[in-house]
Amino acid sequence: MFRIKIWFFYFLCVYCFSTISIADNYNLIRKDSFLKVKATYLVFFSINGYFKDFEGDIKWDKANLSNSFFKGKAKIADLTTGISAIDKQLYSSRFFDIEQYPYIYIESTKIKHLEGNLYEVEAFLTVKNITQKITERLTVFEDESQPGIVYFSATIKLKRNEFNLTNNLTHFIVDNTVKVSLLFKAEKK
């Protein structure tokens, strides 16, 4: 009788714990990752910039996406277009107001698999202390030649007027939609 109880307990533990999926933590490899910004102005021209300073927490479990999440922030003072006059305008109170709001934040709330390597991410994006829910597509690639390495790629379409990133003059010159592109290389901890 004692042996049956032990075998039953063993079976119960193996069955129950084999179905539990725990998300893996990933470290962002910043030297191989980027966070870029592109805004169109006067219909035909574009301003490109990139963030030199950003960080993120990544938990990824493609077998059970409810265990997965992304959380990150980017320091706006490290956003550069390469044109100091434009950078000063972006940092000013007319746009990002980095004295009061030094960071942009994002935190996922739901991740859904669409097909193949394509996912849909719902997240909260916070700019200038204004939080908006966004839904964007995410592409995930696991590097088979480097076990434990995963690439995450997405383009976020940020509406400037939803985050008070506009004034009377720029509203007509610069397109309301700004594209934020990211490619994050991450390594399993």
Side-chain angles (χ1 to χ4, degrees):
M1 181 70 168
F2 181 70
R3 280 187 151 166
I4 293 174
K5 287 181 182 179
I6 290 176
W7 278 106
F8 177 74
F9 179 72
Y10 174 76
F11 173 76
L12 187 62
C13 287
V14 169
Y15 177 75
C16 289
F17 290 117
S18 67
T19 60
I20 295 175
S21 181
I22 299 173
D24 292 314
N25 290 315
Y26 284 82
N27 287 324
L28 184 64
I29 303 173
R30 295 222 356 239
K31 69 179 180 69
D32 296 330
S33 301
F34 67 76
L35 186 57
K36 296 181 180 180
V37 178
K38 181 179 182 178
T40 303
Y41 69 99
L42 297 176
V43 182
F44 301 109
F45 305 102
S46 63
I47 300 169
N48 296 296
Y50 67 94
F51 286 91
K52 295 183 281 183
D53 186 12
F54 55 89
E55 59 188 66
D57 293 326
I58 301 170
K59 289 190 186 288
W60 184 247
D61 181 359
K62 73 178 183 180
N64 187 355
L65 292 172
S66 64
N67 290 334
S68 301
F69 79 88
F70 302 94
K71 182 178 181 180
K73 69 179 183 177
K75 187 175 181 181
I76 299 169
D78 285 337
L79 169 62
T80 181
T81 63
I83 304 168
S84 62
I86 292 174
D87 293 346
K88 286 179 185 177
Q89 284 293 317
L90 291 174
Y91 305 153
S92 76
S93 60
R94 293 174 62 193
F95 288 96
F96 284 111
D97 194 0
I98 65 170
E99 296 297 321
Q100 287 191 44
Y101 313 105
Y103 293 96
I104 293 174
Y105 301 93
I106 190 165
E107 185 170 351
S108 67
T109 57
K110 183 179 178 184
I111 302 171
K112 180 173 78 172
H113 182 251
L114 297 176
E115 63 181 2
N117 294 335
L118 190 60
Y119 297 82
E120 182 178 80
V121 177
E122 292 179 11
F124 287 114
L125 179 65
T126 304
V127 180
K128 290 180 75 171
N129 213 26
I130 299 169
T131 301
Q132 297 285 341
K133 187 174 184 178
I134 62 169
T135 302
E136 298 293 344
R137 298 220 169 172
L138 172 75
T139 305
V140 179
F141 293 101
E142 294 185 33
D143 190 342
E144 293 177 11
S145 67
Q146 295 178 300
I149 299 293
V150 180
Y151 293 90
F152 301 92
S153 175
T155 299
I156 298 168
K157 295 177 185 103
L158 183 147
K159 301 285 188 188
R160 291 185 314 112
N161 63 338
E162 292 179 356
F163 295 99
N164 196 24
L165 296 173
T166 186
N167 62 35
N168 293 337
L169 180 61
T170 59
H171 183 70
F172 297 105
I173 296 173
V174 180
D175 189 50
N176 188 46
T177 302
V178 175
K179 293 180 182 175
V180 180
S181 301
L182 65 89
L183 175 65
F184 292 159
K185 180 178 180 182
E187 181 176 30
K188 189 186 295 187
K189 289 183 184 179

